[in-house]
Amino acid sequence: MLRNGAAGGGGAAAGGGGHRPVRVWCDGCYDMVHYGHSNQLRQARAMGDYLIVGVHTDEEIAKHKGPPVFTQEERYKMVQAIKWVDEIAPGAPYVTTLETLDKYSCDFCVHGDDITLTIDGKDTYEEVKTSGRYRECKRTQGVSTTDLVGRMLLMTKAHHSNIDEDLDYRKHTDNFGKGPKGHSPWTGVSQFLQTSQKIIQFASGKEPEPGDTIIYVAGAFDLFHVGHVDFLEKVHRLAEKPYIIVGLHFDQYVSEVVIGAPYAVTADLLDHFRVTLVCHGMTEVVPDKDGSDPYEEPKRRGIFQLVDSGSNLTTDLIVQRIIKNRLEFEARNQKKEAKELAVLEAMRRLEEEKH
């Protein structure tokens, strides 16, 4: 299936002329996949015609960084769901080598403008950089896995987690992204600011066509995870030509996004988008502020359907995973930032010596 927006990558083959397609390699942990990961892969895909993404195993990540939040199978599925990814390479080595690029017939590797270090502090992309088979894309400022882990640890029953407030995890959140001698610009947490220009880069630009089944899915989709992917995939299979409108997140199953969608699915919304089916997962439907059913109108019209994703993964379960390993996560992030600060200091000294 051709993913929304995946065509026209901008590589050699895009302009015709019989040139060999440009194959691009990206790799990483892709733990707690977020906007920054998607933005990196979007930029990488635009540099060529075919994007292969290597995903590290749990064992490799634990060795170099600390325990991942998601299992490798969950991470494989999340990365494959990103619409710019043509192929994934499970069990990719943590250090990117020419051997790996050649194995997958990739012309070059793409990574963000931050640094990735091994357990002994070496640049994981040193070999491909030296050989000239390395390209750089802009890192998305203000969003990181470190930030997400910190936010998850701050969650309480007042938000959307059922975990007891009396656990002693709050005191640990202040250590995320904080090294002993300062802050790394790569690990440190900053504020992510969304703009219309950033949003439009993720839009498919595709209008519904005659014969499309317009399906509306409402939800917070907070901390987008593999359970959400399973749900959207099931919704996508409900029709021969689905056009799915959903809140907040773009992926290969989504055609359009409504920003700031109303909690209740109103007649105006259904009529405006010409919705023929409204879907909800097997999670509890929380009443609107006035106590009414937010799906009252689609139910009245007979276009409401429950969809079982088949996944038992929830945001609460993810929070529990993080809390269970919170001390290891702290140590992981502190070690990571300490290595980054050491590299920054070395770079600063080198620059001073030049002058």
Side-chain angles (χ1 to χ4, degrees):
M1 180 180 67
L2 180 66
R3 296 183 178 91
N4 298 324
H19 293 298
R20 180 181 63 81
V22 175
R23 293 168 65 90
V24 182
W25 173 269
C26 283
D27 56 26
C29 304
Y30 299 102
D31 195 21
M32 297 183 71
V33 171
H34 52 65
Y35 176 90
H37 294 124
S38 297
N39 197 31
Q40 178 221 11
L41 297 175
R42 177 189 66 81
Q43 294 178 77
R45 182 61 173 75
M47 296 182 189
D49 305 296
Y50 193 85
L51 176 61
I52 302 176
V53 181
V55 184
H56 309 317
T57 63
D58 296 343
E59 183 181 3
E60 279 282 88
I61 297 172
K63 174 183 175 183
H64 293 279
K65 296 180 68 174
V69 177
F70 289 95
T71 68
Q72 59 199 41
E73 294 302 326
E74 289 168 343
R75 291 183 289 107
Y76 296 158
K77 188 161 190 174
M78 277 298 301
V79 174
Q80 187 66 76
I82 297 174
K83 65 182 179 180
W84 294 284
V85 177
D86 295 295
E87 179 184 339
I88 66 164
Y94 197 80
V95 176
T96 309
T97 64
L98 294 175
E99 180 182 358
T100 298
L101 296 188
D102 291 341
K103 177 181 177 181
Y104 291 94
S105 302
C106 289
D107 296 270
F108 54 83
C109 167
V110 176
H111 187 66
D113 55 356
D114 55 341
I115 58 172
T116 302
L117 305 172
T118 64
I119 190 172
D120 53 1
K122 294 181 179 179
D123 186 347
T124 59
Y125 296 99
E126 183 177 352
E127 183 175 320
V128 292
K129 285 179 178 178
T130 303
S131 68
R133 293 173 66 181
Y134 177 85
R135 305 286 186 275
E136 206 163 76
C137 63
K138 293 297 293 180
R139 178 180 182 272
T140 305
Q141 295 297 320
V143 59
S144 68
T145 302
T146 300
D147 185 19
L148 291 178
V149 170
R151 288 193 219 172
M152 298 305 288
L153 286 175
L154 281 173
M155 291 174 66
T156 68
K157 286 192 294 184
H159 192 37
H160 52 244
S161 172
N162 296 318
I163 295 171
D164 293 336
E165 288 189 40
D166 60 358
L167 293 173
D168 64 341
Y169 60 83
R170 280 181 173 274
K171 63 184 179 182
H172 299 290
T173 59
D174 289 339
N175 293 326
F176 282 88
K178 294 182 180 180
K181 297 181 180 178
H183 296 278
S184 162
W186 303 304
T187 296
V189 176
S190 58
Q191 181 64 42
F192 174 64
L193 298 176
Q194 185 60 279
T195 67
S196 59
Q197 181 59 38
K198 289 177 181 175
I199 292 173
I200 203 170
Q201 290 175 331
F202 284 74
S204 67
K206 178 183 161 189
E207 294 292 328
E209 299 175 354
D212 283 356
T213 300
I214 301 176
I215 306 174
Y216 182 73
V217 176
F221 292 97
D222 195 12
L223 185 60
F224 194 80
H225 55 70
V226 71
H228 296 126
V229 171
D230 288 335
F231 170 69
L232 290 172
E233 186 176 12
K234 291 288 182 64
V235 171
H236 191 269
R237 294 175 181 172
L238 292 177
E240 185 176 344
K241 291 183 63 182
Y243 185 93
I244 301 174
I245 301 174
V246 74
L248 302 180
H249 188 88
F250 290 92
D251 80 338
Q252 65 167 325
Y253 306 113
V254 178
S255 307
E256 182 59 286
V257 169
V258 178
I259 305 299
Y263 184 68
V265 183
T266 63
D268 286 343
L269 186 150
L270 296 176
D271 293 340
H272 178 81
F273 291 107
R274 305 192 301 278
V275 175
T276 50
L277 184 64
V278 175
C279 296
H280 183 77
M282 303 306 290
T283 56
E284 178 188 2
V285 176
V286 179
D288 206 347
K289 291 181 179 179
D290 60 1
S292 63
D293 182 353
Y295 292 106
E296 181 179 344
E297 181 60 23
K299 287 179 179 178
R300 186 187 69 79
R301 298 188 184 195
I303 61 171
F304 178 78
Q305 183 171 336
L306 288 173
V307 176
D308 188 351
S309 70
S311 173
N312 62 358
L313 188 63
T314 64
T315 302
D316 283 346
L317 181 58
I318 296 167
V319 176
Q320 290 173 36
R321 289 184 188 183
I322 295 172
I323 292 171
K324 181 180 177 181
N325 296 304
R326 65 188 184 276
L327 295 179
E328 290 186 69
F329 287 133
E330 278 184 23
R332 177 188 72 176
N333 286 317
Q334 289 179 358
K335 287 178 182 178
K336 180 175 181 287
E337 185 158 41
K339 287 190 291 186
E340 290 171 355
L341 289 170
V343 170
L344 284 172
E345 179 63 19
M347 291 169 62
R348 185 187 64 78
R349 290 177 181 174
L350 186 63
E351 194 65 28
E352 288 178 353
E353 290 174 1
K354 289 180 181 179
H355 299 288

